[in-house]
């Protein structure tokens, strides 16, 4: 286990809406490199069940190149009315480690008209399925067609919202 650094990183949530947030990371002078990521609280808790080292790995795996100075992270496509956990970790000039996963924020509830979706099955064969999808009051639609087993396998590690966002096909009207 690496020694714990006395260096810290200031994490400031500078703006939050129903689908976006801006987060500023400002490291102390002795911090030579750091990584950060943001997960839904549900995804974070699922990873935390595996232990703190798994949570650290989730933060470190997100980036190939670490940061070393102040960064503002602008998130988009967040889920409205959802809690998120901010994680940052890295090393100081003595290679001592620090890790912070104490900051959270919640996106605002959606505003405006409620989205509606209607899915009509138009044909199913042994190798294909056809559907008509009608959506109103929606600016971002992603569709995933998968077997129940495939969905269940993904839900072991991610929320349904995360799985759809990461694997869905973006549709435009």
């Amino acid at each position: 286990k690496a020694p714990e650094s006395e260096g810290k990183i200031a994490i400031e949530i500078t703006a939050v809406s129903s689908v976006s947030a801006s987060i500023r990371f400002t490291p102390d002078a002795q911090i030579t490199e750091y990584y950060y990521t943001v997960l839904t609280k549900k995804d974070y808790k699922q990873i935390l069940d595996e232990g703190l080292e798994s949570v650290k790995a989730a933060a470190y795996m997100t980036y190939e190149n670490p940061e070393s100075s102040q960064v503002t992270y602008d998130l988009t496509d967040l889920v409205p009315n959802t809690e998120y956990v901010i994680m940052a970790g890295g090393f100081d000039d003595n290679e001592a480690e620090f890790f912070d996963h104490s900051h959270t924020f919640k996106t605002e509830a959606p505003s405006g008209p409620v989205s509606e979706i209607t899915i009509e099955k138009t044909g199913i064969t042994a190798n294909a399925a056809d559907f008509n999808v009608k959506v109103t009051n929606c600016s971002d639609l992603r569709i995933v067609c998968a077997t129940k087993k495939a969905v269940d396998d993904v839900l072991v590690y991610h929320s349904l919202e995360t799985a759809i966002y990461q694997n869905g096909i973006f549709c435009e009207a």
Side-chain angles (χ1 to χ4, degrees), residues 68-112:
S68 59
S69 59
Q70 185 181 76
V71 170
T72 298
Y73 185 31
D74 294 318
L75 295 116
T76 58
D77 295 325
L78 298 178
V79 178
N81 203 31
T82 301
E83 289 185 84
Y84 288 86
V85 177
I86 304 165
M87 299 180 292
F91 302 92
D92 66 18
D93 48 11
N94 294 319
E95 296 185 14
E97 182 181 34
F98 78 93
F99 188 75
D100 183 347
H101 56 125
S102 64
H103 293 76
T104 62
F105 68 93
K106 185 174 182 178
T107 51
E108 297 173 358
S111 60

Side-chain angles (χ1 to χ4, degrees), residues 22-150:
S22 291
I23 304 164
R24 183 178 304 125
F25 298 89
T26 307
D28 288 348
Q30 66 264 39
I31 300 301
T32 57
E33 65 179 43
Y34 70 95
Y35 303 82
Y36 58 87
T37 195
V38 176
L39 295 174
T40 65
K41 193 168 191 177
K42 182 178 179 180
D43 287 347
Y44 165 80
K45 284 183 175 183
Q46 287 178 328
I47 295 170
L48 186 60
D49 286 346
E50 298 172 19
L52 184 58
E53 292 305 314
S54 294
V55 172
K56 289 180 181 181
Y60 295 145
M61 288 186 331
T62 307
Y63 296 94
E64 292 179 20
N65 298 313
E67 302 292 344
S68 59
S69 59
Q70 185 181 76
V71 170
T72 298
Y73 185 31
D74 294 318
L75 295 116
T76 58
D77 295 325
L78 298 178
V79 178
N81 203 31
T82 301
E83 289 185 84
Y84 288 86
V85 177
I86 304 165
M87 299 180 292
F91 302 92
D92 66 18
D93 48 11
N94 294 319
E95 296 185 14
E97 182 181 34
F98 78 93
F99 188 75
D100 183 347
H101 56 125
S102 64
H103 293 76
T104 62
F105 68 93
K106 185 174 182 178
T107 51
E108 297 173 358
S111 60
V114 175
S115 298
E116 294 182 28
I117 184 168
T118 305
I119 302 173
E120 177 188 354
K121 177 177 50 176
T122 58
I124 295 182
T125 66
N127 299 318
D130 293 319
F131 299 93
N132 284 330
V133 179
K134 181 180 178 185
V135 180
T136 58
N137 302 320
C138 181
S139 61
D140 184 4
L141 174 66
R142 296 169 195 274
I143 297 176
V144 174
C145 188
T147 64
K148 181 177 181 333
K149 181 181 179 342

